Amino acid sequence: MERVVLSESSVPAFPRGVKFRFNNAKQQWVILAPERLLEPDETAVTVLKLVDGQRTLGGVIDALMAMITIDPPPRDVVATDVVAMLQDLADKAFLIDAAKVPQKAAAR
Amino acid sequence: MNVRVEPPLALLAELSHRCPLQCPYCSNPLELERSGKELDTKTWTRILDEAAAMGMHQVHFSGGEPTVRKDLEQLVEHATKVGLYTNLITSGVLLDEKRLRALADRGLEHVQVSFQDTEEANADRIAGFKGHQKKLEVARLVRKIGLPLTVNAVVHRQNIDHVPDFLEMAVELGAERIEIAQVQYYGWALKNRAAFIPTYEQLQRTTKVVEEARKRLKGVLVIDYVVPDYYAKRPKTCMGGWARRFLNISPAGKVLPCHAAESIPNLAFDSVHEHSLQWIWDNSVAFNKYRGTDWMPEPCKSCDRKEIDWGGCRCQAYALAGDAGTVDPACELSPLHEAIFGLAMKEASAEAPEFIYRRIGTDETPDAPVFGHREPAE
Ligand code: SF4
Ligand code: SF4
């Protein structure tokens, strides 16, 4: 295994064993992974909903930009934040790059 | 306390205390529950329903050895159906490809395989069972069928110097995570403590190895590592705080805040035969006794870490101080801390005694607390 380094051409995806899902009883989004659990904040949830194993990271950023209608910040500012956030998740084994290991990407 | 408590995050389902291995550090209670008392499939599925309805996210099937249960597939399937993330905590020795595939097909998300050492002879000696090769084989199968794998390495003075090999083994097996766990001293492990406590030097060396590996293996292997309590400055946050995050069900259906809770005498635990999980979570006297911060004496009461570590481990407070309602002696602020540290140093530097292996029905008397006033004169 090699470290996943994300760039705009990467295709972020949840690997098998990692589930991003909505908990009905709690009305809350969570990322479930082997013996770990993350409760992403609202911003993270917005971004993670765009992670579908199809879109490139660049595509995720574009889609996000399209959602910000009032006072959108410059794209590179948003890009830096999103890449950093997703890279952090990749380092914790919550995300893979499906462009590199397509067979590992799981359907959601 | 009648504030509505946040629901727990995860259910620890101890399906059985049966296990072909005899690890002398097993976290199961000294009085193992016999198979005749184990909950049936129907009761377990009802429990899974209730857990999901409460908003729990995950279920960890453990034991003993959970794969001794023939209905494990059924339970995994049911848990998946009601929306719980399923994890199997196993020694691996009873698994084969067919069964693993069957479990994966029914929704199993992750497998954790425990290893006693990286050297076969020593591993089998510690487990009291010839199983190391089989474990390696099963770990490879887990990866082969595409499930994520955690290597669980319980380390102590008789194998801690192999941590570099453990890390290599985990990478070689394609694990995405390794848990380098220290022996926790209650139950069987407390009986065997002198055989397990590492020396301070061993510990410092290991910590260095881990720190270096964390950098080198960033993004490749997630490394979980905790310093053993007896040498720590502050206690670990046990189970995310007593009755705050987890709910543990024993094979016979006792509902506990953690797997070791029964080591504290005079705490009555409710059974799934009598009440719903929700009722127990909210009303169990034992749960509420040490929940939150209200129960805390000094030094915890006025400590700014009280909502971080929740005063440490109640079982350890009992095991070492003879009082579950006192500060965990692993904390530097405990009056017993220095004595505990000294005890660890002393035991670690003496020759390791023989193991007392985990067996059903071999135990005579539970251990008396080490420094507590309840200790009978010997
Ligand atoms: S610690 Fe060892 S004996 Fe205890 S349940 Fe696990 S594998 Fe079995
Ligand atoms: S005094 Fe209590 S709350 Fe403070 S660090 Fe020690 S155990 Fe934790």
Side-chain angles (χ1 to χ4, degrees), chain B residues 10-14 62 239 246-251 254-260 287:
Chain B
L11 179 71
L12 308 174
E14 295 182 341
S62 77
M239 306 298 284
F246 297 93
L247 215 153
N248 186 104
I249 302 191
S250 83
K254 258 181 271 176
V255 185
L256 314 168
C258 87
H259 56 268
F287 280 37

Side-chain angles (χ1 to χ4, degrees), chain B residues 234-235 296 299-300 303 305-306 309-312 327-328 331 333:
Chain B
R234 293 287 190 251
M296 286 181 181
C300 300
C303 176
R305 284 182 58 87
K306 69 178 173 188
D309 63 38
W310 305 92
V327 50
D328 183 341
C331 179
L333 300 176

Side-chain angles (χ1 to χ4, degrees), chain A residues 9-72:
Chain A
S9 58
S10 307
V11 178
F14 295 99
R16 186 154 179 196
V18 176
K19 289 274 141 77
F20 174 56
R21 80 163 62 130
F22 191 70
N23 184 309
N24 265 324
K26 283 189 159 178
Q27 294 290 302
Q28 173 201 24
W29 282 92
V30 283
I31 307 177
L32 300 168
E35 291 168 57
R36 288 173 299 157
L37 183 148
L38 283 188
E39 303 178 341
D41 62 23
E42 227 174 290
T43 322
V45 167
T46 315
V47 175
L48 290 171
K49 279 186 186 164
L50 297 167
V51 168
D52 57 6
Q54 308 286 327
R55 265 196 198 90
T56 60
L57 213 166
V60 170
I61 297 162
D62 292 337
L64 203 62
M65 289 299 293
M67 289 163 72
I68 312 172
T69 44
I70 307 159
D71 264 347

Side-chain angles (χ1 to χ4, degrees), chain B residues 275-296:
Chain B
H275 299 285
S276 71
L277 286 194
Q278 181 76 63
W279 187 93
I280 295 173
W281 184 249
D282 292 338
N283 300 296
S284 159
V285 176
F287 280 37
N288 283 327
K289 188 153 182 189
Y290 302 120
R291 186 178 252 153
T293 54
D294 286 354
W295 61 274
M296 286 181 181

Side-chain angles (χ1 to χ4, degrees), chain B residues 19 21-23 25-26 28 64 91 358:
Chain B
C19 180
L21 276 61
Q22 306 175 8
C23 306
Y25 50 69
C26 184
N28 287 161
S91 71
R358 163 214 208 261

Side-chain angles (χ1 to χ4, degrees), chain A residues 51 91 96 104:
Chain A
V51 168
D91 283 338
I96 53 166
K104 275 177 87 185

Side-chain angles (χ1 to χ4, degrees), chain B residues 94-348:
Chain B
L94 302 175
L95 282 166
D96 57 20
E97 182 161 358
K98 193 165 155 245
R99 189 129 198 243
L100 268 173
R101 284 198 190 276
L103 290 164
D105 289 346
R106 285 166 176 79
L108 184 65
E109 303 273 9
H110 172 258
V111 181
Q112 169 176 318
V113 180
S114 62
F115 286 89
Q116 279 67 20
D117 197 359
T118 51
E119 271 176 16
E120 181 176 4
N122 200 40
D124 290 346
R125 180 183 66 88
I126 294 166
F129 185 85
K130 218 171 153 26
H132 186 68
Q133 284 302 332
K134 174 78 187 186
K135 284 160 179 275
L136 288 171
E137 193 188 304
V138 167
R140 290 203 182 93
L141 282 172
V142 169
R143 293 301 298 124
K144 182 179 155 201
I145 68 172
L147 285 175
L149 169 75
T150 290
V151 165
N152 170 266
V154 176
V155 296
H156 44 77
R157 69 187 279 190
Q158 306 199 31
N159 70 0
I160 195 167
D161 294 329
H162 298 159
V163 163
D165 309 310
F166 266 120
L167 291 163
E168 211 173 291
M169 185 182 88
V171 172
E172 189 260 320
L173 289 171
E176 63 165 33
R177 181 168 163 270
I178 185 170
E179 207 173 271
I180 301 173
Q182 306 285 341
V183 172
Q184 303 290 333
Y185 298 103
Y186 14 73
W188 295 91
L190 186 57
K191 282 188 160 307
N192 286 295
R193 188 180 53 201
F196 285 136
I197 286 207
T199 63
Y200 196 55
E201 290 69 43
Q202 278 184 313
L203 182 69
Q204 282 174 314
R205 262 203 311 274
T206 308
T207 307
K208 250 204 213 120
V209 168
V210 170
E211 276 167 10
E212 182 277 323
R214 275 195 177 136
K215 280 190 210 124
R216 181 167 50 90
L217 299 173
K218 185 170 178 182
V220 174
L221 184 69
V222 178
I223 305 172
D224 281 358
Y225 170 75
V226 192
V227 174
D229 279 336
Y230 287 36
Y231 290 131
K233 289 193 158 60
R234 293 287 190 251
K236 64 181 184 315
T237 309
C238 188
M239 306 298 284
W242 181 269
R244 293 191 69 251
R245 293 278 179 255
F246 297 93
L247 215 153
N248 186 104
I249 302 191
S250 83
K254 258 181 271 176
V255 185
L256 314 168
C258 87
H259 56 268
E262 283 181 283
S263 64
I264 304 171
N266 309 324
L267 271 188
F269 294 105
D270 297 290
S271 160
V272 296
H273 294 303
E274 285 144 27
H275 299 285
S276 71
L277 286 194
Q278 181 76 63
W279 187 93
I280 295 173
W281 184 249
D282 292 338
N283 300 296
S284 159
V285 176
F287 280 37
N288 283 327
K289 188 153 182 189
Y290 302 120
R291 186 178 252 153
T293 54
D294 286 354
W295 61 274
M296 286 181 181
E298 293 297 352
C300 300
K301 198 183 178 133
S302 48
C303 176
D304 59 7
R305 284 182 58 87
K306 69 178 173 188
E307 292 197 353
I308 297 170
D309 63 38
W310 305 92
C313 171
R314 298 303 89 227
C315 303
Q316 185 150 274
Y318 176 76
L320 293 174
D323 177 4
T326 190
V327 50
D328 183 341
C331 179
E332 232 176 7
L333 300 176
S334 158
L336 291 176
H337 183 75
E338 223 169 287
I340 299 294
F341 194 93
L343 176 90
M345 297 285 269
K346 187 162 144 254
E347 287 189 348

